[in-house]
Amino acid sequence: MKMINQKMMLFFVSALALVVAVPNIYAVNEGNNMNRRTATPTDFTEAAESTINSVVSIKSFATPRQSYSPFDDPFFEFFFGPGSGQQRKQQESKPQQLGLGSGVIISEDGYIVTNNHVIQGAEKLEITLNGNKSYTATVIGNDESTDLALLKIDAEGLNAIEFGDSDELKVGEWVLAVGNPFGFTSTVTAGIVSAKARSIGSATHSRQMGIDAFIQTDAAVNPGNSGGALVNTKGELVGINTAIYSRTGDYAGYSFAIPTSIVKKVITDLRKYGAVQRAVLGISCSELTSDIADKNDITAITEGVFINKVEDRSAAKEAGLEANDVITEINGSKTRNLAELNEAMSRFYPGDKVSIKYYRNNKAYTTEVTLKNNQGNTTITKNSDFTALGCAFQKVSDKTKSRLGISGGVQVAGVKAGKFKEAGITDGFIILTINDIPVNSEADVEKVYNEIMRDNTPDKVMFITGLYQTGKRGYKVVPLTEEE
């Protein structure tokens, strides 16, 4: 994590339950005029009342990684009695609370949206409603690029939040942040929209996420607020609270939320396809600066996205865009910077036709572009799950290992219709590595599979190295996405 602005850093606002200390609580001196708040022109009570029952607490649990433990030492049982070491080890191996965050109910039948970093690494997710009723959640889908995740609990008649239009937000407009900071449930804080389409990456000189266009507010957000609601004064959801700038990890003046213009698209895709459908132009670009403008004699405009390179076989190339062009609008939405370009593009699907306004040699032009996906086509892709491989895996016998001169691997069994059969893998084939990672059990295969599916690269593929029963080496390629 890079240091910025006098050691200010970006923090995601989920709380690590095992390391967050209970802070000292100080009373505000009401006699100090600096701490007094003038009467606000807006009544927030209706917005707060309509929102708190739609925001939930999310606790994540995971089993600690096993390492050497003193309970393994036979002297432990000598001093504390037979079986005591095993008993302590069993206690240690139980899932422990990993973190704390918030989520927003988006449907009466139990769908909940939150941040991906709130649920990442969790083996169990416990959802607690505002009325203290708890449920275990299932992850429907998650997307690391936008830091969003969609969960489901088995419940009916829940208080679903109403979506608002983040595009209609204005800088200076009042908003409320609702969540569970430090474990304090149903907490509401107020602030104003400080900026829109804010790029965190440009401030930190890093790319924290694939889509970098946030609502910036000064509503107080702290650890535990991650995944909670940012609402307008009507109580409508306009964003999902995600990150803060801070020296300490606690609120220091500004917080950042993913706008609903992005949230709606992502959760719709996760629910329908299991993966976010991303449309791309196929360009490398940067924001138009005075240096770039001077170097390229650009005088007609001062803002926009400067094209450095157009990729071969891309949507941009087919539409006639060239290096040194400056994109200023997509479908009527201004693209004054990379954040606005990312936000505009996040709404589209492969195959969508959009109008692009751009400048070339200081003259304005408009062209129509048919967007493509990362694979260079216009099809919709769906992520498969582990069962789509269509086979079982079993341990390789010691006799077979000795005969083939190998020390590890996992054997394929019971091949039926699925990804492996399509790739020409048959019963008895021994997998040694997947994407250069050694595998020795079904759990190893599933772990590699899940890592591939979580990766943001466009090609989700297993590159398998293995052996046939004859000892002949085999190399297989297994695509994991499905086209509609």
Side-chain angles (χ1 to χ4, degrees), residues 142-212:
N142 62 300
D143 182 56
E144 290 189 6
S145 289
T146 54
D147 195 25
L148 290 170
L150 182 64
L151 313 180
K152 178 72 167 64
I153 60 175
D154 188 11
E156 298 288 341
L158 300 179
N159 292 283
I161 202 163
E162 185 175 342
F163 273 77
D165 188 351
S166 58
D167 291 343
E168 296 299 315
L169 278 178
K170 294 181 173 57
V171 174
E173 182 176 340
W174 282 102
V175 286
L176 305 180
V178 187
N180 306 283
F182 302 117
F184 295 125
T185 59
S186 306
T187 297
V188 181
T189 57
I192 62 168
V193 176
S194 306
K196 293 179 64 179
R198 176 66 77 200
S199 170
I200 294 178
S202 62
T204 61
H205 308 292
S206 66
R207 294 290 292 172
Q208 295 281 342
M209 294 178 237
I211 293 181
D212 201 10

Side-chain angles (χ1 to χ4, degrees), residues 310-311 313-321 367-370 372 376:
V310 176
E311 303 294 337
R313 302 176 61 195
S314 65
K317 187 158 191 172
E318 290 181 0
L321 293 174
T367 186
E368 190 174 78
V369 179
T370 300
K372 297 184 177 183

Side-chain angles (χ1 to χ4, degrees), residues 11 15-16 62 87 99 131 137 191 224 287 327 330 350 352 407 460:
F11 284 85
L16 294 178
Q87 186 177 9
E287 292 180 7
I327 298 174
I330 295 180
D352 285 352
S407 58
K460 299 188 186 300

Side-chain angles (χ1 to χ4, degrees), residues 20-26 182 184 250:
V20 173
V22 177
N24 294 322
I25 300 175
Y26 297 94
F182 302 117
F184 295 125
D250 298 338

Side-chain angles (χ1 to χ4, degrees), residues 52-117:
I52 57 174
N53 288 321
S54 299
V55 177
V56 301
S57 170
I58 301 177
K59 292 179 182 177
S60 61
F61 296 85
T63 303
R65 290 184 178 179
Q66 291 297 314
S67 58
Y68 170 76
S69 169
F71 307 133
D72 293 322
D73 196 318
F75 283 104
F76 185 89
E77 294 200 357
F78 177 80
F79 285 106
F80 295 97
S84 56
Q86 187 64 30
Q87 186 177 9
R88 292 290 187 94
K89 281 182 67 178
Q90 288 174 354
Q91 291 174 353
E92 275 197 343
S93 65
K94 291 181 179 179
Q96 298 178 13
Q97 188 172 329
L98 179 69
L100 174 68
S102 304
V104 183
I105 300 170
I106 59 171
S107 71
E108 293 183 356
D109 59 346
Y111 282 94
I112 295 168
V113 64
T114 186
N115 286 136
N116 179 65
H117 72 263

Side-chain angles (χ1 to χ4, degrees), residues 160-454:
I161 202 163
E162 185 175 342
F163 273 77
D165 188 351
S166 58
D167 291 343
E168 296 299 315
L169 278 178
K170 294 181 173 57
V171 174
E173 182 176 340
W174 282 102
V175 286
L176 305 180
V178 187
N180 306 283
F182 302 117
F184 295 125
T185 59
S186 306
T187 297
V188 181
T189 57
I192 62 168
V193 176
S194 306
K196 293 179 64 179
R198 176 66 77 200
S199 170
I200 294 178
S202 62
T204 61
H205 308 292
S206 66
R207 294 290 292 172
Q208 295 281 342
M209 294 178 237
I211 293 181
D212 201 10
F214 295 88
I215 302 168
Q216 179 182 319
T217 80
D218 64 353
V221 169
N222 278 295
N225 270 115
S226 268
L230 185 73
V231 301
N232 58 23
T233 54
K234 298 176 184 177
E236 298 170 334
L237 184 71
V238 292
I240 296 296
N241 296 314
T242 299
I244 58 177
Y245 274 140
S246 176
R247 294 186 180 94
T248 63
D250 298 338
Y251 176 71
Y254 296 104
S255 55
F256 301 88
I258 303 167
T260 52
S261 59
I262 293 174
V263 174
K264 285 190 287 188
K265 165 73 162 48
V266 170
I267 61 176
T268 298
D269 286 358
L270 291 177
R271 188 170 179 178
K272 187 174 182 180
Y273 306 111
V276 179
Q277 307 301 311
R278 290 193 168 88
V280 297
L281 281 171
I283 60 174
S284 61
C285 53
S286 55
E287 292 180 7
L288 181 64
T289 63
S290 56
D291 288 342
I292 292 175
D294 290 343
K295 184 178 179 179
N296 293 277
D297 194 29
I298 298 172
T299 58
I301 48 174
T302 58
E303 295 177 314
V305 175
F306 181 80
I307 298 178
N308 298 309
K309 180 183 177 182
V310 176
E311 303 294 337
D312 290 340
R313 302 176 61 195
S314 65
K317 187 158 191 172
E318 290 181 0
L321 293 174
E322 299 176 0
N324 300 337
D325 290 347
V326 181
I327 298 174
T328 57
E329 288 183 19
I330 295 180
N331 264 16
S333 297
K334 293 188 180 301
T335 56
R336 292 164 288 201
N337 49 50
L338 289 175
E340 290 186 342
L341 175 68
N342 284 334
E343 186 173 6
M345 288 298 297
S346 70
R347 307 175 191 196
F348 301 122
Y349 288 86
D352 285 352
K353 293 183 179 181
V354 299
S355 174
I356 293 183
K357 181 178 179 180
Y358 66 99
Y359 280 77
R360 179 183 296 168
N361 298 325
N362 293 313
K363 292 182 180 179
Y365 298 90
T366 301
T367 186
E368 190 174 78
V369 179
T370 300
L371 300 174
K372 297 184 177 183
N373 58 26
N374 285 326
Q375 284 80 27
N377 56 56
T378 59
T379 59
I380 298 295
T381 58
K382 295 180 69 174
N383 279 356
S384 60
D385 60 27
F386 186 63
T387 60
L389 298 182
C391 66
F393 301 92
Q394 62 187 27
K395 185 178 179 180
V396 182
S397 69
D398 291 338
K399 183 178 179 180
T400 301
K401 287 181 182 178
S402 177
R403 179 172 61 83
L404 296 175
I406 58 177
S407 58
V410 62
Q411 196 163 28
V412 177
V415 175
K416 55 184 181 181
K419 299 293 183 183
F420 270 31
K421 186 173 183 179
E422 292 170 4
I425 298 175
T426 56
D427 284 354
F429 185 77
I430 297 172
I431 300 173
L432 299 177
T433 67
I434 302 176
N435 294 7
D436 294 326
I437 301 172
V439 292
N440 297 294
S441 65
E442 180 171 343
D444 289 345
V445 177
E446 187 168 9
K447 182 180 179 182
V448 175
Y449 173 90
N450 290 334
E451 288 175 355
I452 294 171
M453 300 310 289
R454 284 195 298 265

